[in-house]
Amino acid sequence: MFEIGFSELLLVGLVALLVFGPERLPGAARLAGLWIGRLKRSFQSVKQEVERELGADEVRRQLHNEQILQMERELQQSQQLPPALAAEPPAGAADATADSASPAATSEVPPVRPA
């Protein structure tokens, strides 16, 4: 990622020694290490969360695609059936509509009496 050689590290160390002094340099190095560790952990957690969300979106997309494929298969199967079978409702559907139909909803018309 970064191309930092030994000479650059030596220069940074020398400047830090001059700025902080020999007494405060170990504490400053420890504090810098802690902050760098915290930053790395926070970036890693954000990265994992984004990857998890992307994975969830991918799963949703796959489920949606599978539903579309299933609907296409059902449509192709219904187009392959003979016309007489394709027009008839499924056996369970006919029983359910007959049970729930009321006399008013049927197509039978009572005979008309002349007045």
Side-chain angles (χ1 to χ4, degrees):
M1 189 165 132
F2 296 110
E3 294 185 21
I4 300 176
F6 182 72
S7 60
E8 287 94 359
L9 286 176
L10 189 61
L11 181 64
V12 169
L14 184 62
V15 170
L17 182 61
L18 291 174
V19 171
F20 291 115
E23 298 87 26
R24 294 188 311 182
L25 184 61
R30 188 178 312 116
L31 185 63
L34 289 173
W35 278 102
I36 290 172
R38 287 180 185 172
L39 285 172
K40 281 184 176 181
R41 284 190 296 274
S42 65
F43 284 136
Q44 186 66 24
S45 68
V46 168
K47 181 181 173 185
Q48 287 176 350
E49 186 175 333
V50 167
E51 287 175 352
R52 185 175 43 240
E53 286 295 320
L54 290 176
D57 288 343
E58 181 65 29
V59 168
R60 283 189 211 111
R61 190 176 309 120
Q62 285 178 346
L63 288 174
H64 180 70
N65 289 342
E66 288 177 10
Q67 289 173 348
I68 290 173
L69 288 174
Q70 181 64 27
M71 290 171 31
E72 287 178 357
R73 284 188 215 120
E74 290 173 359
L75 182 63
Q76 288 176 354
Q77 287 177 354
S78 68
Q79 290 175 352
Q80 291 175 356
L81 291 176
L85 291 177
E88 292 179 12
D95 295 339
T97 56
D99 292 341
S100 63
S102 63
T106 60
S107 61
E108 297 178 17
V109 177
V112 179
R113 294 184 187 174

